[in-house]
Amino acid sequence: MAEQAIDRSKMKVSDEVAVQITNMNKWYGQFHVLRDVNMTVQKGERIVICGPSGSGKSTLIRCINRLEEHQSGQIIVDGTELTNDLKNIDKVRSEVGMVFQHFNLFPHLTILENCTLAPIWVRKTPKREAEEIAMHFLSKVKIPDQAHKYPGQLSGGQQQRVAIARSLCMKPRIMLFDEPTSALDPEMIKEVLDTMISLAEEGMTMLCVTHEMGFAQAVANRVIFMDKGQIVEQNEPREFFNNPQSDRTKLFLSQILGH
Amino acid sequence: MAFVQDTPKADFRLSMLIYDTRYRSLTIQVVVLGLFLLFLSWLVNNTIQNLAAKDRTFEFGFLWARAGYDINQTLISYTNDSPHYRAAMVGLLNTLLAAVIGCGLATVIGVIVGVLRLSKNWLVGRMMTVYVEMFRNVPVLLWILLAFTILSEATPEPSAYRVTDAMIAAGEAPKASMLLNDSLAITTRSTNIPAPMVDNGLPRLEFLGLSLNSNVLAFLIVFGGSLYANSLLRAHAKRVQEETGVRPTTWWKSLAVLVLPTAALLWWLGFHLDYPTLTRFNFKGGIEVGHSFTALTIALALYTAAFIAEIVRAGIMAISRGQSEAAAALGLRPGRTMSLVILPQALRVIIPPLISQYLNLTKNTSLAIAVSYMDLRGTLGGITLNQTGKELECMLLMMAIYLTISLIISSLMNMFNRAVRLKER
Amino acid sequence: MSNNMTYVRTEMLPALPPPAGQGGVVKWLRENLFSGPLNTVLTILGGVALLWIASHVIPWLLHSVWNANSLSECREIITATWGPDATGACWAMVRERWHQYMFGFYPQDLYWRPTLAFVLMFVALAPVLFTHLPRKMLWFTGLYPAIAFWLLWGGSIWAPVVAMLGFAVMAIVFRIGSPRLGVPVSAGLGVLAAAFWWLFLQSELSGNLQSAIPLSIESVDSDQFGGFLLSVVIGVTAISASLPMGILLALGRQSDMLLVHSLSVGFIEFIRGVPLITLLFTASLLLQYFLPPGSNFDIILRVIILVTLFAAAYIAEVIRGGLAALPRGQYEAADALGLDYWQAQRLIVMPQALKISIPGIVSSFIGLFKDTTLVAFVGLADPLKGITQIVRSDINWKGIYWEPYIFAGAIFFLICFGMSRYSMWLEQKLKTDHR
């Protein structure tokens, strides 16, 4: 990834707050998954969250569009607080895009229909316009010619790029990535990462749970390391990788970079 | 867990009932409950009005009144002087008898057919496929009616069995003869089979108002004991195998343990069979099985067996592919592969749908109405209902009884599922 | 290769045909019929059984008589042609009575009406089964129940038209309400409005329209229905009406709202726990207690209502299986895109769950279609018991038993076997479709 020239001209971090999480706690039954998480994400930031499995990193970003409900603390997304109010939840979800580990494309709809579904039903966009938007983003992820195929006919990497395009069609302000490359064969990881990099180059606010450290070094402006439901360390990528402070972080980095 | 909830920012607003995730489900449930209660009270109100209009009451006292009708097949003592509830019990037992015998028969036929369908034998496999498709795709009612009609119309009259002196003189054979070494006679009226009898029987046991046949009880105890002894024997064989690696031969010991004590008991009781014999007009002696029972049970068994065969086949096929290859790769012989690897897993797949087939068969016994077999519907939901005019009470009671049977069977299935799931962990 | 470790293939080998087989038929017989002692015994037993059956059935079929007026005439013809001991089938009964097996006591000159309704049923089904047909055809599917009702029962055209208008009222109320009040509330209001329409306006409006513009065809009473006409009417109506109900019940059973869940479970388990016969008796004996005093309606309609409830419980379980087979990610993706519950159900969940459940739905339908014969016990003339009883009680055909059962059974077999093959084919197709 490093050899790739990355255009950083648009990757500016503004002062505006995109996501604000304060003293957030979450339990699964008796199990305390997220412990007193505090985090502020500025508009335009590219944050990579890493950590061992079970550290709560996926749960954290799933709380941001309330796929998981937090039990205490505050989450404010783009000025809207996530409470039990369904209207707020709907508003946040239409502003926040999400890409899943297993793509979760709708297998009964074509690629194009996958992309136009939410704009038509949630944003009430006219069909023709929605299709134009969809084709625009499909060409952006470089698969406009597959628009009339079904997800099952595409490779994993292509499916994940469609999933990204599907989220982009809602014109989200924030994108969440939940281990987007973990379910992919090695040769397909790059095409998905490239798509994500080009997204970053356009200044999209991104929160990304991933173990792709090359991506973190190239694109992220902040790396967060989580363990046992808490944020253990966060730093800008160069410092994070070259000079980790916590012992937990050092151990983790030696394990994933060691071989 | 301490449920820490932030102090709500705004006070409670009415719109929160719909848009707040905390109250939304409560709101919906209250509305649903309200509608449900409204519907229920509408039904009850209508029923009360209708009962009043017909000048009828809703009470179950009639169950203790004299029934006044005869039942041709009774497993417990019953006369037409017995009360209605006794008639209902007779009917229930008849339902259960048909269900139990039907399930047993269906399982035997179904397993055989299912295994034969999987056999490499082309001819037999095809014949079993034809059987399965033929029975599955035609209403069970047809099999019941056909069986009953054939039994009662295509069979010989009792008189056809008669051998007169003139016939002996002429060297003529009678038109019909008894089957299975003169032990079974099927006539237009009934099927007569030998009855088990004992010469020096034990006295009946009176217990909590129930009268128990102690001969049967003794038989069950001895046979159960034999089974237990056999399981001890097998456990011993297993222990020896685990210690020495060689499994001792047990089959003749098992046979002896299972057969000898029971045979001794039967000999001591003076067990013999009472064969049906032809009297002037009909067969006497033995047990007379009504055609309605035979037709119902056989038709239900054959119909359900077709479904069971498919379940067995699918269960074995689902497991056998990869597993039999793995077992073969480990060097197990085909017989051992079946008993140690495939069957234990296949049973897990087979038993839940098998039990739901038992449930279906039990519910289908209510088709007894087609052949006038006096089951629960024929007594409580039939003659009792018509005689007393207590439609509401009889139907509700009957449904409750059927529901209880179904729930018992399905809770057995749930218990089995739970037991299997525990073993997986 | 022993002393040379490196090896590079310079030329790829072409594919060759396999070596010639060792004697076709004999090898096949040995492998499939006589591969071991057990197999040989099985083959011999099977062969003997087959021969025994064939020796009885084939002459019986070969000696069939198609032209006769009574069973005794049949027998005379057989004896005269094939000798005194010959047996033979008497299909003359079917020839004389087939119309009763098909239509019951439906007026003979009106047979075209049920036949037309039957043919139109396939037109109405086509857009549901084949998605590439124009969507406008669904309008006909929507109108079909009214058309079929009018064709079958006859009478004034205005009753079904006004009844259909009730659905239009429901749709309008729902359309107006849903953006503001949400799906459940506006659906409830729609149902209420339609119920009001049917209860209070239906009879008056259709009566007035009939007197203003009289348009009617000869009406046929329910007790004239019978045979396979009855089976198809009850089966098709019940299964199509039970689908939406089954979907709601399945969703209710999946719900995390305790009350909704337990009501659904209670209903499903109750219906599945009692035999269909008790429900049919409920239709014929008890419904008069549960409905408002004085309301007395058609027995076929009552039976259809109860059979629908019965089918709905079974369909609900089938659909529950389909819902369970759907990965959680589908729900999450729908949530993450901002779809609400009903949108997610309608656009994402149901299309997939229903597709998975099609084989189960078809086999429920087969079961239900077979069970329609049970309506004989509440006095309707089903093709199996009802009509056969009528035939057998005719002095001409007294004592005939194989032929009517074989005839009715064969038709049931053709329909049910055909449907089960269709669903197997569909299952295979769905496995490979788009996946």
Side-chain angles (χ1 to χ4, degrees), chain B residues 158-237:
Chain B
S159 59
Y161 287 86
R162 182 161 309 124
V163 186
T164 54
D165 292 337
M167 284 165 77
I168 295 173
E172 250 177 64
K175 278 188 227 144
S177 54
M178 291 168 75
L179 304 169
L180 298 179
N181 201 15
D182 273 359
S183 60
L184 179 82
I186 305 174
T187 68
T188 46
R189 301 190 192 172
S190 63
T191 305
N192 293 61
I193 57 170
M197 301 287 267
V198 286
D199 284 339
N200 4 325
L202 301 165
R204 291 186 82 81
L205 275 178
E206 298 298 330
F207 179 70
L208 290 177
L210 288 169
S211 169
L212 297 176
N213 185 335
S214 42
N215 297 316
V216 175
L217 209 63
F219 176 82
L220 288 178
I221 290 171
V222 170
F223 193 69
S226 300
L227 284 180
Y228 180 66
N230 185 40
S231 73
L232 286 183
L233 195 72
R234 292 180 68 88
H236 173 74

Side-chain angles (χ1 to χ4, degrees), chain B residues 130-404:
Chain B
V130 169
Y131 161 77
V132 167
E133 294 298 350
M134 203 167 94
F135 273 82
R136 276 203 313 179
N137 288 306
V138 167
V140 61
L141 183 60
L142 181 134
W143 301 116
I144 296 173
L145 289 172
L146 193 61
F148 185 71
T149 320
I150 292 173
L151 278 174
S152 51
E153 290 191 21
T155 49
E157 292 277 339
S159 59
Y161 287 86
R162 182 161 309 124
V163 186
T164 54
D165 292 337
M167 284 165 77
I168 295 173
E172 250 177 64
K175 278 188 227 144
S177 54
M178 291 168 75
L179 304 169
L180 298 179
N181 201 15
D182 273 359
S183 60
L184 179 82
I186 305 174
T187 68
T188 46
R189 301 190 192 172
S190 63
T191 305
N192 293 61
I193 57 170
M197 301 287 267
V198 286
D199 284 339
N200 4 325
L202 301 165
R204 291 186 82 81
L205 275 178
E206 298 298 330
F207 179 70
L208 290 177
L210 288 169
S211 169
L212 297 176
N213 185 335
S214 42
N215 297 316
V216 175
L217 209 63
F219 176 82
L220 288 178
I221 290 171
V222 170
F223 193 69
S226 300
L227 284 180
Y228 180 66
N230 185 40
S231 73
L232 286 183
L233 195 72
R234 292 180 68 88
H236 173 74
K238 195 180 172 199
R239 223 168 25 246
V240 171
Q241 184 186 15
E242 278 166 3
E243 277 165 17
T244 64
V246 183
R247 191 177 176 91
T249 328
T250 53
W251 66 266
W252 58 270
K253 285 186 213 159
S254 285
L255 204 66
V257 166
L258 285 177
V259 172
L260 288 181
T262 319
L265 175 80
L266 290 179
W267 177 78
W268 181 65
L269 286 173
F271 177 82
H272 64 93
L273 289 174
D274 179 30
Y275 290 98
T277 46
L278 189 65
T279 58
R280 271 181 71 103
F281 298 110
N282 202 352
F283 279 91
K284 280 278 160 351
I287 299 175
E288 192 180 306
V289 185
H291 281 330
S292 51
F293 173 77
T294 320
L296 179 72
T297 317
I298 288 181
L300 284 180
L302 285 174
Y303 178 77
T304 312
F307 289 87
I308 292 179
E310 276 305 275
I311 291 168
V312 169
R313 187 175 81 109
I316 294 178
M317 289 221 314
I319 302 302
S320 69
R321 283 190 200 124
Q323 293 287 308
S324 60
E325 281 175 6
L330 288 171
L332 286 175
R333 281 183 287 112
R336 286 262 183 257
T337 305
M338 197 64 175
S339 66
L340 293 175
V341 179
I342 295 177
L343 273 188
Q345 298 182 69
L347 281 183
R348 251 182 235 188
V349 185
I350 289 171
I351 287 187
L354 185 68
I355 295 178
S356 79
Q357 284 304 325
Y358 290 164
L359 187 61
N360 284 345
L361 191 146
T362 310
K363 286 189 288 175
N364 278 339
T365 54
S366 60
L367 292 179
I369 185 175
V371 288
S372 311
Y373 175 61
M374 293 300 274
D375 70 332
L376 182 63
R377 203 229 49 91
T379 53
L380 178 65
I383 302 182
T384 296
L385 183 148
N386 288 334
Q387 276 188 5
T388 58
K390 296 281 186 188
E391 294 161 341
L392 204 57
E393 292 90 335
C394 286
M395 289 293 296
L396 289 180
L397 198 59
M398 188 168 76
M399 283 183 167
I401 294 173
Y402 274 119
L403 198 59
T404 314

Side-chain angles (χ1 to χ4, degrees), chain A residues 27 29-30 66 71-74 81 84-87 89, chain B residues 1-6 9 13 18-22 24:
Chain A
W27 289 263
Q30 292 296 308
R66 210 169 166 101
Q71 273 115 14
S72 78
Q74 214 179 22
E81 183 180 354
N84 289 305
D85 194 328
L86 276 177
K87 283 181 172 169
I89 297 173
Chain B
M1 181 193 91
F3 190 84
V4 196
Q5 185 65 57
D6 272 8
K9 301 237 159 18
R13 277 166 287 117
I18 295 176
Y19 290 114
D20 194 301
T21 48
R22 282 168 299 176
R24 187 184 171 85

Side-chain angles (χ1 to χ4, degrees), chain B residues 66-80:
Chain B
R66 181 177 176 272
Y69 59 89
D70 287 313
I71 300 177
N72 51 13
Q73 177 187 317
T74 55
L75 295 179
I76 52 174
S77 59
Y78 171 85
T79 62
N80 57 16

Side-chain angles (χ1 to χ4, degrees), chain C residues 83-150:
Chain C
D85 288 333
T87 54
C90 183
W91 300 116
M93 183 281 299
V94 172
R95 204 181 143 95
E96 188 189 292
R97 298 300 183 107
W98 73 270
H99 58 273
Q100 272 187 356
Y101 275 97
M102 291 301 138
F103 301 103
F105 296 102
Y106 209 85
Q108 294 223 11
D109 51 331
L110 299 179
Y111 281 169
W112 64 271
R113 275 166 36 184
T115 314
L116 180 64
F118 187 68
V119 172
L120 287 179
M121 182 178 82
F122 290 99
V123 181
L125 262 175
V128 181
L129 295 180
F130 306 103
T131 39
H132 57 266
L133 288 172
R135 296 291 83 194
K136 290 218 169 98
M137 280 178 74
L138 282 172
W139 280 102
F140 180 77
T141 310
L143 291 177
Y144 177 74
I147 298 171
F149 175 83
W150 187 57

Side-chain angles (χ1 to χ4, degrees), chain C residues 148-343:
Chain C
F149 175 83
W150 187 57
L151 280 174
L152 289 173
W153 273 272
S156 157
I157 196 176
W158 296 111
V161 166
V162 177
M164 274 286 141
L165 284 177
F167 283 104
V169 169
M170 191 191 297
I172 291 167
V173 172
F174 179 77
R175 268 288 159 81
I176 296 173
S178 60
R180 260 156 281 170
L181 301 166
V183 173
V185 176
S186 49
L189 285 179
V191 170
L192 278 182
F196 178 81
W197 177 275
W198 289 320
L199 283 178
F200 301 106
L201 299 176
Q202 168 84 41
S203 57
E204 201 166 329
L205 200 57
S206 52
N208 288 343
L209 279 167
Q210 171 65 18
S211 50
I213 316 164
L215 251 181
S216 66
I217 52 177
E218 190 180 331
S219 70
V220 180
D221 280 342
S222 279
D223 52 10
Q224 291 174 288
F225 281 59
F228 280 96
L229 168 65
L230 187 69
S231 280
V232 171
V233 166
I234 293 176
V236 171
T237 319
I239 207 80
S240 30
S242 67
L243 258 178
M245 206 175 153
I247 291 174
L248 287 181
L249 280 172
L251 289 178
R253 193 166 187 165
Q254 290 251 309
S255 164
D256 44 12
M257 289 182 254
L258 184 69
L259 188 74
V260 176
H261 173 81
S262 18
L263 282 179
S264 308
V265 172
F267 179 82
I268 292 172
E269 291 303 325
F270 170 71
I271 296 277
R272 286 164 56 94
V274 298
L276 178 57
I277 284 206
T278 60
L279 294 175
L280 291 175
F281 276 110
T282 305
S284 72
L285 296 175
L286 294 194
L287 228 48
Q288 48 166 336
Y289 285 100
F290 295 146
L291 295 174
S295 57
N296 181 26
F297 55 93
D298 194 79
I299 177 73
I300 293 188
L301 188 58
R302 279 186 280 165
V303 164
I304 285 178
I305 291 175
L306 265 292
V307 173
T308 305
L309 296 181
F310 177 77
Y314 284 82
I315 295 274
E317 286 299 276
V318 170
I319 292 177
R320 184 168 74 120
L323 288 174
L326 216 60
R328 266 208 66 72
Q330 293 290 311
Y331 294 89
E332 286 179 355
D335 276 349
L337 286 173
L339 297 175
D340 66 28
Y341 177 81
W342 293 105
Q343 285 175 337

